[in-house]
Amino acid sequence: MEIIVGIAAGTTSAFAVIDFNGKVLAVKSKKNWGTDQLVSDFSSICTPLVIACDTSHSNAHGRKLKACFGAKLFTQHSSLHVFQKQQIAGNLGVEVHNSHERDALAAAKKA
């Protein structure tokens, strides 16, 4: 299955998994999530072709995930603003539990 994983890194990190048709397969967040655990949690769902960040620069999680899977790394031309993330995620009709999940979902969809 060809999929995109959007990530939002920070003290609380999140990932969103979508297929190339835009169908949301998973959204999850966790506090103090190390890269190894993040990889383990979403690799049980899929192997990504694209890792997407919600910012115009890649973060450590993004670079490590790119290397782990040999995926392409997608960064935004310019960082997405909150209202853009809300609109993108809202149009998908998926429940998100926090801003981190929303950001990861918007990154994946925007890729």
Side-chain angles (χ1 to χ4, degrees):
M1 177 183 303
E2 297 179 334
I3 60 96
I4 300 166
V5 173
I7 59 166
T11 302
T12 298
S13 295
F15 72 78
V17 179
I18 66 171
D19 66 18
F20 276 44
N21 294 317
K23 180 180 177 186
V24 178
L25 305 175
V27 179
K28 187 174 181 181
S29 62
K30 189 174 182 181
K31 193 169 185 173
N32 299 319
W33 216 348
T35 303
D36 292 340
Q37 186 62 48
L38 183 65
V39 167
S40 175
D41 284 1
F42 76 71
S43 64
S44 65
I45 301 167
C46 60
T47 299
L49 293 180
V50 178
I51 302 293
C53 300
D54 66 329
T55 59
S56 60
H57 61 280
S58 63
N59 53 50
H61 275 314
R63 290 188 300 274
K64 288 179 183 177
L65 295 172
K66 174 190 180 295
C68 284
F69 294 102
K72 293 185 181 196
L73 183 62
F74 177 87
T75 56
Q76 307 298 323
H77 178 67
S78 60
S79 295
L80 297 173
H81 297 283
V82 172
F83 77 91
Q84 291 172 301
K85 295 174 189 179
Q86 290 170 332
Q87 186 176 26
I88 293 166
N91 288 339
L92 293 171
V94 175
E95 181 182 359
V96 294
H97 299 99
N98 54 54
S99 62
H100 311 288
E101 291 181 0
R102 178 205 63 213
D103 293 356
L105 190 56
K109 182 62 178 173
K110 192 78 170 153

